[in-house]
Protein backbone atom coordinates (compact mmCIF):
# COMPACT_ATOMS: atom_id res chain seq x y z
CA UNK A 1 0.00 0.00 0.00
CA UNK A 2 1.91 2.95 -1.31
CA UNK A 3 0.00 5.54 0.67
CA UNK A 4 0.62 3.83 4.01
CA UNK A 5 4.31 3.32 3.24
CA UNK A 6 4.50 7.00 2.38
CA UNK A 7 2.90 7.93 5.70
CA UNK A 8 5.27 5.66 7.63
CA UNK A 9 8.25 7.16 5.81
CA UNK A 10 7.10 10.72 6.49
CA UNK A 11 6.88 9.97 10.23
CA UNK A 12 10.24 8.17 10.13
CA UNK A 13 11.95 11.05 8.30
CA UNK A 14 10.59 13.59 10.78
CA UNK A 15 11.83 11.59 13.77
CA UNK A 16 15.22 10.96 12.14
CA UNK A 17 15.58 14.70 11.50
CA UNK A 18 15.42 15.29 15.29
CA UNK A 19 17.95 12.69 16.45
CA UNK A 20 21.62 11.93 15.89
CA UNK A 21 21.74 8.30 17.02
CA UNK A 22 19.45 5.51 15.87
CA UNK A 23 17.61 3.76 18.71
CA UNK A 24 17.67 -0.04 18.74
CA UNK A 25 15.02 -0.78 21.37
CA UNK A 26 11.44 0.45 21.30
CA UNK A 27 9.55 0.76 24.58
CA UNK A 28 5.77 1.04 24.76
CA UNK A 29 4.71 2.12 28.23
CA UNK A 30 1.36 1.02 29.62
CA UNK A 31 -1.18 2.77 31.85
CA UNK A 32 0.56 4.44 34.79
CA UNK A 33 4.01 3.24 33.62
CA UNK A 34 4.95 6.20 31.44
CA UNK A 35 7.20 7.74 34.08
CA UNK A 36 9.86 5.20 33.12
CA UNK A 37 10.59 7.45 30.11
CA UNK A 38 11.68 10.23 32.48
CA UNK A 39 14.76 8.17 33.36
CA UNK A 40 16.04 8.24 29.79
CA UNK A 41 19.33 10.14 29.57
CA UNK A 42 20.00 12.95 27.07
CA UNK A 43 16.41 12.76 25.91
CA UNK A 44 15.05 14.10 22.66
CA UNK A 45 11.34 14.58 23.24
CA UNK A 46 8.98 14.65 20.28
CA UNK A 47 5.29 15.26 20.81
CA UNK A 48 2.98 12.97 18.85
CA UNK A 49 1.08 15.98 17.56
CA UNK A 50 4.22 17.18 15.76
CA UNK A 51 4.94 13.88 14.00
CA UNK A 52 3.33 13.60 10.56
CA UNK A 53 0.49 11.05 10.51
CA UNK A 54 0.82 10.10 14.21
CA UNK A 55 -2.37 9.76 16.28
CA UNK A 56 -2.54 11.37 19.75
CA UNK A 57 -3.26 9.63 23.10
CA UNK A 58 -6.57 10.32 24.84
CA UNK A 59 -6.36 8.08 27.93
CA UNK A 60 -5.49 9.22 31.45
CA UNK A 61 -2.08 7.83 32.43
CA UNK A 62 -0.83 8.10 28.84
CA UNK A 63 1.19 11.15 27.79
CA UNK A 64 1.56 11.77 24.09
CA UNK A 65 5.23 11.87 23.28
CA UNK A 66 8.26 9.94 22.15
CA UNK A 67 11.31 10.06 24.38
CA UNK A 68 14.50 9.04 22.59
CA UNK A 69 17.86 8.65 24.34
CA UNK A 70 19.94 6.24 26.42
CA UNK A 71 18.89 3.94 29.25
CA UNK A 72 21.27 1.46 30.86
CA UNK A 73 23.68 2.06 27.99
CA UNK A 74 21.10 1.14 25.32
CA UNK A 75 19.68 3.50 22.71
CA UNK A 76 15.94 3.50 23.27
CA UNK A 77 12.84 5.14 21.88
CA UNK A 78 9.97 5.15 24.36
CA UNK A 79 6.33 5.79 23.57
CA UNK A 80 5.10 7.65 26.62
CA UNK A 81 1.48 6.89 25.89
CA UNK A 82 0.05 4.30 23.53
CA UNK A 83 -3.04 4.11 21.37
CA UNK A 84 -5.93 1.79 22.08
CA UNK A 85 -8.53 0.46 19.68
CA UNK A 86 -11.34 1.56 22.03
CA UNK A 87 -10.25 5.19 21.67
CA UNK A 88 -11.78 5.02 18.21
CA UNK A 89 -8.59 4.60 16.23
CA UNK A 90 -8.46 2.01 13.52
CA UNK A 91 -6.13 -0.92 14.13
CA UNK A 92 -3.91 0.60 11.47
CA UNK A 93 -3.63 3.81 13.51
CA UNK A 94 -3.14 1.94 16.81
CA UNK A 95 -0.14 0.10 15.39
CA UNK A 96 1.25 2.82 13.10
CA UNK A 97 4.09 3.71 15.51
CA UNK A 98 5.34 0.11 15.51
CA UNK A 99 5.93 0.16 11.75
CA UNK A 100 7.61 3.55 12.19
CA UNK A 101 9.90 2.02 14.84
CA UNK A 102 10.85 -0.75 12.43
CA UNK A 103 11.43 1.75 9.61
CA UNK A 104 13.77 3.71 11.90
CA UNK A 105 15.82 0.58 12.53
CA UNK A 106 14.54 -0.67 15.88
CA UNK A 107 15.18 -4.37 16.44
CA UNK A 108 13.53 -5.11 19.78
CA UNK A 109 10.12 -4.10 21.06
CA UNK A 110 9.69 -4.08 24.83
CA UNK A 111 5.97 -3.71 25.35
CA UNK A 112 4.30 -3.20 28.72
CA UNK A 113 0.79 -2.92 30.06
CA UNK A 114 -1.42 -2.73 33.12
CA UNK A 115 -3.80 -5.68 33.17
CA UNK A 116 -6.19 -7.80 35.20
CA UNK A 117 -5.03 -11.11 36.68
CA UNK A 118 -7.24 -14.10 35.88
CA UNK A 119 -4.87 -16.81 37.10
CA UNK A 120 -5.79 -17.57 40.70
CA UNK A 121 -2.10 -18.00 41.60
CA UNK A 122 -1.44 -14.33 40.75
CA UNK A 123 -1.93 -11.26 42.97
CA UNK A 124 -2.49 -7.57 42.28
CA UNK A 125 0.92 -5.88 42.12
CA UNK A 126 2.65 -8.89 40.51
CA UNK A 127 4.69 -8.56 37.33
CA UNK A 128 4.18 -11.10 34.55
CA UNK A 129 6.42 -11.93 31.61
CA UNK A 130 4.13 -12.55 28.64
CA UNK A 131 4.79 -15.96 27.10
CA UNK A 132 1.99 -15.84 24.54
CA UNK A 133 -1.24 -14.05 23.78
CA UNK A 134 -4.82 -14.60 22.69
CA UNK A 135 -6.24 -12.08 20.25
CA UNK A 136 -9.85 -11.75 21.36
CA UNK A 137 -10.27 -8.18 20.09
CA UNK A 138 -12.51 -9.20 17.23
CA UNK A 139 -10.19 -7.80 14.59
CA UNK A 140 -6.58 -7.89 13.48
CA UNK A 141 -4.17 -5.05 12.62
CA UNK A 142 -2.94 -6.93 9.53
CA UNK A 143 -6.36 -6.90 7.85
CA UNK A 144 -6.05 -4.97 4.59
CA UNK A 145 -3.40 -4.92 1.90
CA UNK A 146 -0.16 -6.50 3.08
CA UNK A 147 2.95 -4.32 3.36
CA UNK A 148 5.53 -6.67 1.81
CA UNK A 149 8.29 -4.18 2.69
CA UNK A 150 7.78 -5.33 6.30
CA UNK A 151 6.71 -8.94 6.13
CA UNK A 152 4.63 -11.71 4.55
CA UNK A 153 0.87 -11.89 4.08
CA UNK A 154 0.60 -14.77 6.53
CA UNK A 155 3.13 -14.14 9.31
CA UNK A 156 4.10 -16.90 11.69
CA UNK A 157 3.07 -16.48 15.35
CA UNK A 158 4.50 -19.74 16.72
CA UNK A 159 6.79 -17.68 18.94
CA UNK A 160 5.43 -14.17 19.17
CA UNK A 161 7.36 -13.50 22.39
CA UNK A 162 11.09 -14.16 22.08
CA UNK A 163 12.22 -17.15 24.14
CA UNK A 164 15.68 -15.67 24.82
CA UNK A 165 14.12 -12.46 26.12
CA UNK A 166 11.68 -14.42 28.30
CA UNK A 167 14.60 -16.34 29.84
CA UNK A 168 16.59 -13.14 30.30
CA UNK A 169 13.72 -11.31 32.02
CA UNK A 170 13.16 -14.29 34.29
CA UNK A 171 16.86 -14.42 35.18
CA UNK A 172 17.00 -10.67 35.87
CA UNK A 173 13.90 -10.90 38.09
CA UNK A 174 15.38 -13.82 40.00
CA UNK A 175 18.71 -11.99 40.42
CA UNK A 176 16.78 -9.02 41.80
CA UNK A 177 14.81 -11.24 44.18
CA UNK A 178 11.63 -10.08 42.45
CA UNK A 179 8.49 -12.20 42.42
CA UNK A 180 7.72 -12.84 38.76
CA UNK A 181 4.89 -14.64 36.99
CA UNK A 182 4.77 -15.95 33.44
CA UNK A 183 1.65 -16.37 31.38
CA UNK A 184 -0.72 -15.66 28.55
CA UNK A 185 -2.21 -12.19 27.94
CA UNK A 186 -5.73 -12.21 26.54
CA UNK A 187 -6.68 -9.02 24.70
CA UNK A 188 -10.23 -7.76 24.44
CA UNK A 189 -11.25 -4.50 22.78
CA UNK A 190 -12.68 -2.76 25.85
CA UNK A 191 -13.37 -0.08 26.94
CA UNK A 192 -15.66 -1.70 29.50
CA UNK A 193 -14.11 -4.09 31.98
CA UNK A 194 -15.27 -7.67 31.67
CA UNK A 195 -18.34 -9.37 33.09
CA UNK A 196 -17.82 -12.37 35.39
CA UNK A 197 -18.95 -14.72 32.60
CA UNK A 198 -16.53 -13.20 30.10
CA UNK A 199 -13.69 -13.61 32.59
CA UNK A 200 -14.61 -17.24 33.24
CA UNK A 201 -14.50 -17.84 29.48
CA UNK A 202 -11.17 -16.05 28.97
CA UNK A 203 -9.60 -18.00 31.83
CA UNK A 204 -11.00 -21.25 30.44
CA UNK A 205 -9.50 -20.67 26.99
CA UNK A 206 -6.05 -20.16 28.50
CA UNK A 207 -5.71 -16.51 29.48
CA UNK A 208 -3.76 -15.70 32.64
CA UNK A 209 -4.24 -11.94 32.35
CA UNK A 210 -6.63 -9.68 30.44
CA UNK A 211 -6.18 -6.23 28.96
CA UNK A 212 -7.09 -3.91 26.09
CA UNK A 213 -3.75 -3.37 24.36
CA UNK A 214 -0.40 -4.95 23.46
CA UNK A 215 -1.58 -7.70 21.11
CA UNK A 216 -2.06 -5.44 18.03
CA UNK A 217 1.41 -3.92 18.60
CA UNK A 218 2.99 -7.35 18.99
CA UNK A 219 1.31 -8.72 15.84
CA UNK A 220 2.72 -5.81 13.82
CA UNK A 221 6.16 -6.10 15.44
CA UNK A 222 6.28 -9.80 14.56
CA UNK A 223 5.01 -9.12 11.04
CA UNK A 224 7.93 -6.73 10.65
CA UNK A 225 10.43 -9.20 12.13
CA UNK A 226 11.11 -7.37 15.39
CA UNK A 227 11.87 -9.44 18.48
CA UNK A 228 9.41 -8.88 21.34
CA UNK A 229 9.48 -8.91 25.12
CA UNK A 230 6.21 -8.24 26.93
CA UNK A 231 5.89 -7.35 30.61
CA UNK A 232 2.52 -6.96 32.31
CA UNK A 233 1.80 -5.34 35.61
CA UNK A 234 -1.22 -6.96 37.25
CA UNK A 235 -3.17 -4.10 38.76
CA UNK A 236 -6.30 -5.97 39.85
CA UNK A 237 -7.63 -9.48 40.10
CA UNK A 238 -10.15 -10.34 37.39
CA UNK A 239 -11.56 -13.66 38.52
CA UNK A 240 -15.10 -14.33 37.35
CA UNK A 241 -16.25 -16.09 40.51
CA UNK A 242 -15.11 -13.31 42.84
CA UNK A 243 -15.12 -10.11 40.79
CA UNK A 244 -15.02 -6.71 42.53
CA UNK A 245 -16.02 -3.45 40.85
CA UNK A 246 -13.07 -1.70 39.17
CA UNK A 247 -12.20 1.81 37.98
CA UNK A 248 -9.35 3.07 35.79
CA UNK A 249 -8.26 5.27 38.72
CA UNK A 250 -7.64 2.08 40.73
CA UNK A 251 -5.66 0.60 37.82
CA UNK A 252 -3.45 3.69 37.55
CA UNK A 253 -3.02 3.88 41.35
CA UNK A 254 -1.79 0.27 41.61
CA UNK A 255 0.49 0.81 38.60
CA UNK A 256 1.93 3.88 40.38
CA UNK A 257 2.61 1.86 43.54
CA UNK A 258 4.26 -1.02 41.71
CA UNK A 259 6.25 1.18 39.35
CA UNK A 260 9.58 0.96 41.25
CA UNK A 261 9.90 -2.80 40.77
CA UNK A 262 8.68 -2.58 37.19
CA UNK A 263 11.32 0.07 36.47
CA UNK A 264 14.00 -2.03 38.19
CA UNK A 265 13.13 -5.07 36.09
CA UNK A 266 13.05 -3.15 32.80
CA UNK A 267 16.37 -1.45 33.60
CA UNK A 268 17.91 -4.81 34.49
CA UNK A 269 16.74 -6.33 31.21
CA UNK A 270 18.00 -3.37 29.17
CA UNK A 271 21.37 -3.55 30.87
CA UNK A 272 21.87 -7.23 30.07
CA UNK A 273 20.12 -7.66 26.75
CA UNK A 274 22.32 -8.43 23.74
CA UNK A 275 20.82 -7.69 20.33
C1 LIG B 1 -7.92 0.16 31.62
O1 LIG B 1 -7.76 0.53 32.93
C2 LIG B 1 -6.78 0.58 30.75
O2 LIG B 1 -5.53 0.14 31.35
C3 LIG B 1 -4.85 -0.75 30.48
C4 LIG B 1 -5.98 -1.32 29.63
O3 LIG B 1 -5.54 -1.92 28.42
C5 LIG B 1 -6.85 -0.12 29.40
O4 LIG B 1 -6.36 0.71 28.41
O5 LIG B 1 -3.99 0.08 29.72
P1 LIG B 1 -2.64 -0.39 28.99
O6 LIG B 1 -2.92 -1.73 28.38
O7 LIG B 1 -2.34 0.65 27.98
O8 LIG B 1 -1.56 -0.48 30.05
Amino acid sequence: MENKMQKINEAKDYILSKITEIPEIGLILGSGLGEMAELIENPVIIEYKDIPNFPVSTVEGHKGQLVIGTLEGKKVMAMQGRFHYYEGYSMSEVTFPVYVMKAIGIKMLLVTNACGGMNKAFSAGDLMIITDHINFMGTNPLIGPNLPEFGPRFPDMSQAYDQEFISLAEKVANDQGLKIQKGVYAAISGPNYQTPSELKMLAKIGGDTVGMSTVPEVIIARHAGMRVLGISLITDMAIGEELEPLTHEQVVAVAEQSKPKFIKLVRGVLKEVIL
Side-chain angles (χ1 to χ4, degrees):
M1 232 215 271
E2 207 171 299
N3 193 26
K4 181 149 182 189
M5 276 314 299
Q6 207 176 318
K7 286 184 171 169
I8 292 167
N9 285 328
E10 280 167 13
K12 174 193 84 169
D13 291 343
Y14 180 81
I15 295 165
L16 288 179
S17 75
K18 302 280 170 199
I19 57 179
T20 51
E21 285 178 306
I22 305 293
E24 52 181 355
I25 300 174
L27 287 170
I28 301 183
L29 301 169
S31 287
L33 300 171
E35 209 183 283
M36 170 100 204
E38 277 146 41
L39 301 168
I40 294 172
E41 296 151 31
N42 304 317
V44 173
I45 295 175
I46 308 175
E47 290 192 38
Y48 294 163
K49 66 175 174 49
D50 294 332
I51 306 172
N53 314 313
F54 242 63
V56 286
S57 314
T58 66
V59 188
E60 187 211 324
H62 288 263
K63 274 195 187 174
Q65 56 189 30
L66 293 180
V67 183
I68 305 169
T70 307
L71 193 56
E72 296 296 341
K74 300 292 187 320
K75 305 275 167 244
V76 301
M77 173 168 128
M79 283 182 69
Q80 204 174 20
R82 65 145 54 88
F83 308 109
H84 304 85
Y85 186 51
Y86 63 73
E87 291 175 76
Y89 297 118
S90 66
M91 275 291 178
S92 173
E93 289 169 315
V94 166
T95 56
F96 182 81
V98 182
Y99 277 142
V100 174
M101 283 183 181
K102 173 69 184 187
I104 283 173
I106 285 178
K107 302 186 190 91
M108 171 187 185
L109 178 67
L110 202 170
V111 65
T112 70
N113 59 62
C115 66
M118 299 192 293
N119 184 323
K120 291 178 180 164
F122 294 178
S123 308
D126 284 354
L127 293 172
M128 183 188 86
I129 301 167
I130 306 177
T131 54
D132 201 0
H133 70 224
I134 296 173
N135 178 12
F136 216 78
M137 299 184 90
T139 184
N140 188 302
L142 292 170
I143 290 174
N146 184 44
L147 295 179
E149 295 87 344
F150 288 104
R153 172 74 290 189
F154 301 108
D156 177 62
M157 288 288 151
S158 61
Q159 222 214 308
Y161 299 82
D162 191 282
Q163 194 52 54
E164 269 181 46
F165 292 164
I166 292 171
S167 302
L168 174 65
E170 207 173 3
K171 177 198 160 297
V172 170
N174 290 335
D175 289 350
Q176 293 179 346
L178 195 70
K179 181 182 175 200
I180 193 84
Q181 310 286 7
K182 287 199 295 184
V184 176
Y185 177 92
I188 42 95
S189 71
N192 61 279
Y193 295 118
Q194 293 67 64
T195 65
S197 301
E198 288 166 347
L199 290 172
K200 285 182 206 164
M201 173 195 67
L202 291 170
K204 206 169 259 177
I205 63 172
D208 293 298
T209 54
V210 59
M212 307 169 194
S213 70
T214 303
V215 166
E217 296 148 354
V218 172
I219 290 173
I220 293 302
R222 293 304 298 140
H223 177 245
M226 293 160 82
R227 296 171 66 194
V228 175
L229 172 63
I231 302 176
S232 291
L233 171 58
I234 297 159
T235 50
D236 53 277
M237 288 312 291
I239 294 172
E241 293 81 1
E242 48 200 63
L243 190 62
E244 303 276 341
L246 178 68
T247 65
H248 184 58
E249 287 65 37
Q250 277 169 258
V251 168
V252 173
V254 178
E256 287 284 329
Q257 276 166 25
S258 308
K259 218 166 31 189
K261 63 180 179 184
F262 162 80
I263 289 174
K264 203 171 162 204
L265 176 63
V266 172
R267 291 189 85 132
V269 169
L270 289 176
K271 190 172 180 185
E272 293 196 30
V273 74
I274 299 167
L275 294 174

